[in-house]
Amino acid sequence: MSKIPLIMDVDTGSDDAVALILAHLSGQYDLLGVTTVFGNAGVEETTRHTLQTLELLRSPVPVYSGCHEPLARRLYDEGNPIGPGENRRVAADGSAIGFHEVFDLPRPQQKPEEKNAITFLIETLRTAPQPVTIIATGALTNLACAWLLAPEAFANIDRLIIMGGGIALSNKTAAAEGNFFRDPEAARMILECGADLTLLTLDATHSAALNRADLERIRAIGSPLSDFTVHVAETRMAAYRELQPLNGELAVLHDPACVLFCLNKNLAAQSRRYRATVSIDHGETAGALIADPRAAAYDQGNLLAVTQIDKDRFLSDLISLLKKAP
């Protein structure tokens, strides 16, 4: 079976790192390149984290650094950064609790490519001999810039799988999920670009949250990559406890769900088509996913939203891929 031509557009934090690991271990992707964007941290840091993760995998896949701020939000948010610093808390003793405090890895030897992420996206989509799948797990700014410059290139996208939005859940505000909140204009543009879109929503990723028993099953694999995955999950579990309390000791790994769903659509336990967009208001609804559930809207749906994941299948697929690691 031929491999899936893939570009991953990431803001590597901890769960993006696990997504990269799973894509590598699957052996089913031809990873053409990884593009980075601001989000979980500034783009310089997300690029470094991406390179660190790929070196952990001994992967030579090229990395292209992308946008460092939103399309338009900086025009009217008084220059305040959107993303860096929001995912951690520093205690009086200097210790940090955060979702992404896992990159105590050697500084990468590989450097990002001189070509920027937007140029890479456009050139690759224009010249790829077969349609390309894109998995986007951060703000959609890179993709929006590519769309503005070369909308015709998006005809060569096979599937665009996005971690973003929520139907009944949010995490950055009362209305918005983080990736869409960080650049609502970009998210709105991409949701309306006409590509074959699937959203892995917060509703879906939270339905597959890992508990302590799940982590012990992963730990039992006993490889460096399974140990790193447990480290990520335990770090996130502690961060959820302090920063975004959940119903129990749980860790949500959002971005790996995109990689696993791309390989196995049966991961989705509940999904439906929506006519959906993203709020670009400047108030409390900024970045909110607006998904019209009415039958008429369904007939005109522009995306598939996954709202529940088969947790047992998610864990089984995760463990199966991690067992492939040396």
Side-chain angles (χ1 to χ4, degrees):
M1 186 174 65
S2 61
K3 293 186 176 182
I4 301 167
L6 176 69
I7 296 170
M8 294 183 69
D9 187 57
V10 299
D11 62 338
T12 305
S14 57
D15 54 337
D16 307 73
V18 176
L20 288 165
I21 288 169
L22 296 180
H24 174 82
L25 291 176
S26 74
Q28 296 186 50
Y29 292 113
D30 177 12
L31 188 53
L32 306 176
V34 181
T35 54
T36 61
V37 69
F38 77 97
N40 288 321
V43 71
E44 296 83 3
E45 193 170 346
T46 64
T47 301
R48 184 174 71 253
H49 292 167
T50 302
L51 292 167
Q52 287 176 303
T53 304
L54 291 174
E55 289 200 359
L56 188 67
L57 298 169
R58 297 184 174 85
S59 170
V61 170
V63 175
Y64 302 86
S65 183
C67 295
H68 68 278
E69 63 180 42
L71 285 180
R73 290 280 134 168
R74 289 294 180 89
L75 298 177
Y76 45 79
D77 72 352
E78 299 180 350
N80 296 318
I82 299 175
E86 67 184 13
N87 295 307
R88 68 200 301 265
R89 177 183 299 156
V90 178
D93 63 1
S95 61
I97 295 173
F99 288 96
H100 309 293
E101 305 295 312
V102 299
F103 292 97
D104 49 347
L105 301 168
R107 291 193 68 84
Q109 299 302 306
Q110 181 182 345
K111 303 295 183 186
E113 302 298 310
E114 299 230 349
K115 185 182 296 182
N116 67 65
I118 292 86
T119 301
F120 166 74
L121 285 165
I122 293 170
E123 290 180 353
T124 302
L125 291 175
R126 280 177 169 167
T127 61
Q130 65 185 99
V132 175
T133 293
I134 298 178
I135 294 176
T137 60
L140 297 176
T141 316
N142 289 338
L143 289 171
C145 287
W147 166 254
L148 284 169
L149 290 168
E152 81 287 346
F154 277 51
N156 204 25
I157 294 176
D158 183 24
R159 288 191 289 167
L160 176 49
I161 300 173
I162 297 168
M163 193 284 121
I167 303 298
L169 293 178
S170 63
N171 60 2
K172 282 295 170 280
T173 70
E177 174 274 332
N179 290 337
F180 287 2
F181 176 72
R182 292 184 184 113
D183 197 341
E185 285 79 8
R188 186 185 186 107
M189 191 178 300
I190 293 304
L191 263 57
E192 298 177 359
C193 76
D196 182 354
L197 294 175
T198 299
L199 293 187
L200 270 292
T201 65
L202 282 179
D203 314 76
T205 58
H206 277 250
S207 71
L210 301 179
N211 58 36
R212 290 284 182 188
D214 299 329
L215 299 195
E216 291 311 310
R217 289 182 60 187
I218 298 169
R219 195 191 311 275
I221 298 169
S223 72
L225 292 181
S226 62
D227 289 347
F228 179 77
T229 302
V230 171
H231 176 43
V232 165
E234 289 181 332
T235 299
R236 294 180 68 83
M237 191 175 285
Y240 275 113
R241 185 169 56 246
E242 296 296 324
L243 304 175
Q244 291 181 29
L246 301 174
N247 185 23
E249 285 279 287
L250 298 169
V252 182
L253 300 182
H254 305 289
D255 301 339
C258 293
V259 172
L260 296 178
F261 173 82
C262 186
L263 295 173
N264 183 0
K265 291 183 179 179
N266 291 328
L267 191 71
Q270 185 172 317
S271 63
R272 62 161 295 174
R273 293 193 65 79
Y274 286 93
R275 182 69 199 168
T277 188
V278 174
S279 171
I280 56 173
D281 290 347
H282 300 176
E284 294 178 349
T285 64
L289 176 66
I290 303 169
D292 191 339
R294 295 174 296 174
Y298 175 89
D299 294 337
Q300 304 169 29
N302 58 322
L303 57 82
L304 178 74
V306 179
T307 54
Q308 185 176 340
I309 286 173
D310 181 331
K311 161 66 184 298
D312 291 340
R313 191 183 297 271
F314 175 85
L315 182 60
S316 174
D317 289 354
L318 176 69
I319 289 173
S320 293
L321 289 184
L322 288 173
K323 281 183 175 179
K324 293 184 176 183

